[in-house]
Amino acid sequence: MLFPMTPSLPLRSDDAVAMRRLFGLSLASALLIATSPAALAASLDGAEVDAKAASATVAQAQDAAQTPADPPPPDTEPDDDGETIVVRAERLRGSIQTDIPPVTELDAQDVASYGASSLAELLQQIAPQTGSARGRGGDGPVVLLNGQRVSGFRAIRDIPPEAIAKVEVFPEELALKYGFRPDQRVINFVLVENYQSLAAEVDNGLSTQGGYGTTEFEGTFTKLGKNTRLIVDVEYEMATALRESERGIVQPDSSAPFALGGNVGASPFGTGAEISPALSALAGRPVTLAGVPQGLTGAPALSAFTNAPNTTDLGEFRTLIPNSDRIQANATYARNLGPDTNVQVNATYTNNFATSLLGLNTATFTVPAANPFNPFGRDVSLLTAFGDPRAITRTVDTDTYSLGFNANGVLPANWKWALTGDYTRIDTLTIIDQPVDTSAVQAAISRTTGAINPFTGTLGTLLPGLVSDSAESRNQLFNAQFTANGKLTDLPAGPVNLTLVGGFARRLQDSTDSRRAGQGSVSLTRSEANVSANIDVPLVDTYMSDWFGKLSVNGNLGYRELSDIGGLLSFGYGLNWSPTDTLTIQASLIGEEAAPGIGQLGDPQIVTPNVSTFDLARNETVLATIISGGNPLLTAEERRDVKVSLSYRPPFVEGLDFLAEFIRNRSYGTTASFPILTPEIEAAFPDRIIRDTDGTLLAIDQRAINYDRVTSDRLRYGINFSKRIGGEARGGGAGGPGGPGRQGAGGPPPGGPGG
């Protein structure tokens, strides 16, 4: 049997194997054929089949040889050996292409090493890398998904870490490109293409000293496809209260020993005088405090008060952490409408309910000598706590409704656009019990005729019911923003990129306060229109970059018009220089005008009694009344920030990153919470502090204030080192790319690729 051969055609390795199988027999095969005619026949049949396979293989090789090969890249240079090496790699879908180097990068195995059960937990784990270095606080990092904007963090917070292929963290300068403020770092999560899981989680936490515990139940369904994404999450969390008695908190009213059942002291109390000389003579010692005997029904004898004072741990009726319950349901659906167009919808509902204990009602009564039930022969003080009515409580019930929308696409000339919209409504009801009015009981004790017996332990039944103050508020926010970015023109050094942003937001706040009966509700409205632009200009062309490196500058300008404040301007500029592929130096300056939040201006005033407060001026702890809420007198703030950073990745140490940043902040007219009360603060804000005639602290108005200026200079540096130790690199985590997926952890849908 003859086979056509082309002398100029080189045989591939599999072709050679086929020929050897056709023409060459192993020694074992030859012996078998020699001893068995049947084996000879089978061998010939196999040889014929192999011959056909080899013929087909050679024919395929001939066809491949006749097909023209792809032309080589035009810009290739030979190496020292005169041979050209061309390496082609496809970039990971969803990663960000920018000249700004990332602060850190995590692959699927790095993500799995953190042991997080959700994307929200992962963010907590990597918080040191994602926190902004500018020190402004407030907003968290900018979150992107597959290099694109999302309607909000809640749209992706429940994604399982197993579905994450890569995490990229970029410095604040990149936020401008996506239409965000330049004081937030950017985090990009790249997902695997196919993933599906149904997860149930039960978490239980206990404090090491006991007394406090949390329990959480959560169920999450996740389905990621090539063109769709569906995530549904339901959570329920409850937390027990932690009482002051469970942590040994010393009660601030120890100088006035209130107790259930009551104690008797001299009148006025606090002088250290004995109650009665006759009582001291009976006891054989000076008696300054005596417990009221329990179970009295008639006039008590003087000898009944020789026993020890009554004690009650009032910390049992005060909480450090409230008892709370939280229910949340969150759903996100996304779909690709075309190769470059997708839409996403997110809906969330959350209810938080918390109850705090603020202590028992207490009172100091004066029992006159004329009271027929007074055996002391002089006026005395009765200090008592009331278990009836109940302890003073504060309850806060909050319902949050959110709906988000996001769309991404591509305009002509390869300009990318993004449209985001969000509506959030927060309804809050706060109910606080006020201390009970004891004036009627004091009057009944002091009556000249028909006076009541104050020592029977039944005074609580004579008190009126607790009166509660309530404050209701509804905050609504609607905002929409359109972002477009792309190439404006080409320069010798490269393309000039421009980002344009336009948006509108409207905030509404309605609040009512039961103490303003007849005054109706307070309504605040703020509308905001904003526009901004950011431009990136490369300065060094390809020829110069070989010895000078890459150099670019950027600038941004923004304007916001607020209906209740007026116009606010923001601007900034920066420089980005990479002398080498491993070293990047950045410098930037931003300036802006910022307005107080509508809540800081118009939140309802809330008065909370019996708050344990340390008075530095008198070096004592007291139960003071705290006033919180909005301050309509706040003004706008001016900010100036300078940042210089250096990022270095040594080429001789794989996985090592060094980052150093210097930040200088200057703020004028800053809006901030009322600071800790010190003698200096009290001297600066005397109208915010209320004291009695003895100087005892009674109340603090802690509503927000304007500082004249706030300055800070910080140097921040750190080293990140990440390297896999032992074994060869394996596929991603369970359900991730190339991973088999552990039982119950999810993974690619049946029949789908592993990502």
Side-chain angles (χ1 to χ4, degrees), residues 99-284:
D99 291 335
I100 301 176
V103 175
T104 186
E105 292 179 297
L106 305 175
D107 60 18
Q109 288 190 329
D110 296 330
V111 171
S113 68
Y114 283 95
S117 61
S118 67
L119 190 146
E121 291 186 14
L122 177 63
L123 273 184
Q124 294 177 355
Q125 298 279 358
I126 62 175
Q129 286 78 38
T130 62
S132 174
R134 294 194 183 272
R136 289 296 179 184
D139 297 332
V142 173
V143 178
L144 306 177
L145 190 65
N146 292 331
Q148 296 181 329
R149 292 185 57 153
V150 293
S151 60
F153 176 65
R154 63 177 184 271
I156 62 174
R157 64 180 299 273
D158 299 312
I159 293 177
E162 293 88 355
I164 300 175
K166 187 179 182 181
V167 180
E168 301 170 317
V169 182
F170 291 90
E172 295 85 344
E173 287 75 11
L174 188 65
L176 290 167
K177 179 180 178 181
Y178 291 90
F180 294 95
R181 293 158 44 88
D183 58 357
Q184 301 169 265
R185 283 191 171 176
V186 178
I187 307 177
N188 182 40
F189 294 97
V190 181
L191 301 182
V192 299
E193 189 168 310
N194 289 279
Y195 178 89
Q196 180 172 316
S197 71
L198 178 62
E201 182 178 353
V202 178
D203 291 334
N204 184 265
L206 295 173
S207 60
T208 56
Q209 297 185 31
Y212 176 73
T214 60
T215 303
E216 180 180 2
F217 303 91
E218 181 177 6
T220 307
F221 173 75
T222 306
K223 184 175 183 180
L224 308 179
K226 184 176 181 180
N227 295 311
T228 60
R229 181 173 73 253
L230 175 63
I231 305 170
V232 180
D233 180 82
V234 179
E235 299 179 41
Y236 171 69
E237 181 180 10
M238 54 185 176
T240 61
L242 179 64
R243 303 172 187 262
E244 291 185 358
S245 59
E246 295 170 315
R247 289 296 179 268
I249 303 298
V250 177
Q251 296 305 305
D253 50 5
S254 57
S255 60
F258 298 102
L260 295 173
N263 291 305
V264 176
S267 180
F269 183 78
T271 60
E274 61 182 357
I275 300 173
S276 166
L279 179 61
S280 297
L282 283 175

Side-chain angles (χ1 to χ4, degrees), residues 468-485:
S468 300
D469 291 334
S470 64
E472 296 183 67
S473 67
R474 170 171 292 178
N475 291 275
Q476 300 181 79
L477 169 63
F478 168 77
N479 68 75
Q481 189 176 76
F482 180 81
T483 304
N485 63 76

Side-chain angles (χ1 to χ4, degrees), residues 256-470:
F258 298 102
L260 295 173
N263 291 305
V264 176
S267 180
F269 183 78
T271 60
E274 61 182 357
I275 300 173
S276 166
L279 179 61
S280 297
L282 283 175
R285 54 179 174 81
V287 179
T288 58
L289 189 67
V292 175
Q294 305 301 304
L296 292 176
T297 57
L302 183 63
S303 60
F305 291 88
T306 58
N307 43 325
N310 294 318
T311 59
T312 300
D313 187 356
L314 298 181
E316 181 68 22
F317 306 95
R318 299 176 58 82
T319 53
L320 294 169
I321 301 177
N323 177 60
S324 63
D325 293 272
R326 180 178 65 89
I327 300 174
Q328 178 174 284
N330 185 36
T332 302
Y333 178 74
R335 184 173 184 84
N336 293 335
L337 303 180
D340 301 309
T341 306
N342 60 73
V343 295
Q344 172 192 281
V345 179
N346 169 261
T348 305
Y349 168 75
T350 305
N351 173 262
N352 287 281
F353 186 87
T355 303
S356 303
L357 300 180
L358 304 178
L360 293 176
N361 281 284
T362 59
T364 300
F365 297 111
T366 299
V367 183
N371 186 291
F373 302 98
N374 183 346
F376 302 100
R378 60 167 61 180
D379 292 352
V380 295
S381 297
L382 173 63
L383 301 94
T384 184
F386 300 101
D388 183 20
R390 68 177 187 272
I392 301 173
T393 63
R394 175 180 60 201
T395 61
V396 180
D397 189 3
T398 304
D399 292 296
T400 303
Y401 310 85
S402 301
L403 181 65
F405 169 81
N406 171 254
N408 294 277
V410 177
L411 295 170
N414 203 32
W415 274 61
K416 297 181 180 180
W417 62 268
L419 176 64
T420 59
D422 185 81
Y423 171 76
T424 300
R425 191 182 89 182
I426 304 175
D427 296 335
T428 303
L429 172 63
T430 303
I431 300 176
I432 302 177
D433 294 336
Q434 294 303 309
V436 70
D437 184 6
T438 60
S439 59
V441 177
Q442 178 65 69
I445 295 174
S446 302
R447 284 199 296 256
T448 55
T449 57
I452 64 173
N453 185 350
F455 303 116
T456 59
T458 60
L459 293 181
T461 60
L462 304 178
L463 295 174
L466 287 177
V467 176
S468 300
D469 291 334
S470 64

Side-chain angles (χ1 to χ4, degrees), residues 8 46 51 53 62 86 160 218 242 262 309 314-315 323 394 399 423 471 491 534-535 559 585 595 639 667 693 699 741:
S8 62
Q62 288 178 320
V86 179
E218 181 177 6
L242 179 64
L314 298 181
N323 177 60
R394 175 180 60 201
D399 292 296
Y423 171 76
L491 296 178
N534 176 69
I535 188 169
Y559 179 78
I585 300 173
R639 300 172 177 175
S667 302
T693 55

Side-chain angles (χ1 to χ4, degrees), residues 617-642:
R618 293 170 58 94
N619 196 31
E620 64 181 5
T621 300
V622 298
L623 296 178
T625 298
I626 301 300
I627 302 172
S628 59
N631 179 5
L633 302 179
L634 297 174
T635 59
E637 172 187 356
E638 293 185 6
R639 300 172 177 175
R640 297 291 185 272
D641 295 344
V642 175

